[in-house]
């Protein structure tokens, strides 16, 4: 997951949760009251301010070792912080949806329902189409485009 942090000067810093160490992830879990990492990822998907702040804090703590979570804040967080998912995360979500739906033979429906959500969260919305093609579900994109014309 990529956390974008818009600086005061307008530049955007992008921090990837893939760059966290296991200890840093555990420190985020502790700072978040003991939540497991899967829950924190879900909160990041929901743009939760505490989860977003926790990720920024842990990266800042690399340079300021004594920086405490309760002392760290991000003024104007709504306009400055945003969590986005990577292509690998999009592929994982689509694969999981497909695996869950195979037994019901409704994978196209499940994936079709997931596509708008993935596009909204994607760092690059075009990654959704690439992931669908890779999964052999590119026809869902073409079908949606045809129905919009």
């Amino acid at each position: 997951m990529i956390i974008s942090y818009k600086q005061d000067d307008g530049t955007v810093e992008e921090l990837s949760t893939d760059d966290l160490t296991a200890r840093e992830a555990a420190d985020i879990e502790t700072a978040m009251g003991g939540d497991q990492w899967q829950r924190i990822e879900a909160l990041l998907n929901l743009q939760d301010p505490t989860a977003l702040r926790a990720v920024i804090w842990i990266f800042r703590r690399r340079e300021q070792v004594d920086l405490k979570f309760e002392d760290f804040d991000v003024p104007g967080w709504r306009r400055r912080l945003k969590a986005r998912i990577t292509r690998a995360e999009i592929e994982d979500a689509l694969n999981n949806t497909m695996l869950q739906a195979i037994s019901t033979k409704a994978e196209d429906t499940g994936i079709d329902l997931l596509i708008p959500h993935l596009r909204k969260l994607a760092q690059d919305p075009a990654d959704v189409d690439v992931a669908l093609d890779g999964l052999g579900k590119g026809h869902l994109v073409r079908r949606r485009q045809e129905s919009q014309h």
Side-chain angles (χ1 to χ4, degrees), residues 2 7 10 15 20 28 62 91 94 99 111 128 146 148:
I2 305 292
Q7 305 288 333
L15 306 167
L20 295 173
I28 290 173
R62 289 178 178 179
E91 290 169 352
L94 290 170
L99 288 172
I111 290 171
V128 176
E146 289 167 4
Q148 291 175 346

Side-chain angles (χ1 to χ4, degrees), residues 94-112:
L94 290 170
N95 282 325
N96 289 339
T97 300
M98 199 146 138
L99 288 172
Q100 291 171 359
I102 282 177
S103 62
T104 64
K105 300 204 186 298
E107 67 237 26
D108 282 4
T109 304
I111 290 171
D112 218 18

Side-chain angles (χ1 to χ4, degrees), residues 1-20:
M1 186 161 298
I2 305 292
I3 310 303
S4 299
Y5 179 33
K6 189 174 188 179
Q7 305 288 333
D8 290 335
D9 66 3
T11 59
V12 177
E13 177 183 13
E14 292 184 342
L15 306 167
S16 174
T17 57
D18 288 345
D19 295 334
L20 295 173

Side-chain angles (χ1 to χ4, degrees), residues 17-65:
T17 57
D18 288 345
D19 295 334
L20 295 173
T21 68
R23 282 186 179 169
E24 288 172 331
D27 288 348
I28 290 173
E29 289 174 336
T30 301
M32 297 277 303
D35 283 340
Q36 290 186 335
W37 186 252
Q38 292 82 358
R39 170 128 171 82
I40 292 167
E41 283 183 321
L43 290 169
L44 288 169
N45 278 324
L46 294 170
Q47 309 301 314
D48 178 81
T50 306
L52 291 164
R53 181 172 63 100
V55 173
I56 301 294
W57 162 73
I58 209 74
F59 278 98
R60 294 296 180 265
R61 201 181 67 175
R62 289 178 178 179
E63 295 170 6
Q64 300 174 340
V65 210

Side-chain angles (χ1 to χ4, degrees), residues 83-134:
R84 295 288 177 242
I85 55 177
T86 63
R87 182 181 302 173
E89 291 164 321
I90 292 166
E91 290 169 352
D92 286 346
L94 290 170
N95 282 325
N96 289 339
T97 300
M98 199 146 138
L99 288 172
Q100 291 171 359
I102 282 177
S103 62
T104 64
K105 300 204 186 298
E107 67 237 26
D108 282 4
T109 304
I111 290 171
D112 218 18
L113 293 171
L114 186 59
I115 291 172
H117 177 70
L118 293 177
R119 282 193 202 291
K120 182 179 177 186
L121 286 175
Q123 177 74 3
D124 180 357
D127 284 346
V128 176
D129 297 344
V130 172
L132 284 166
D133 279 337

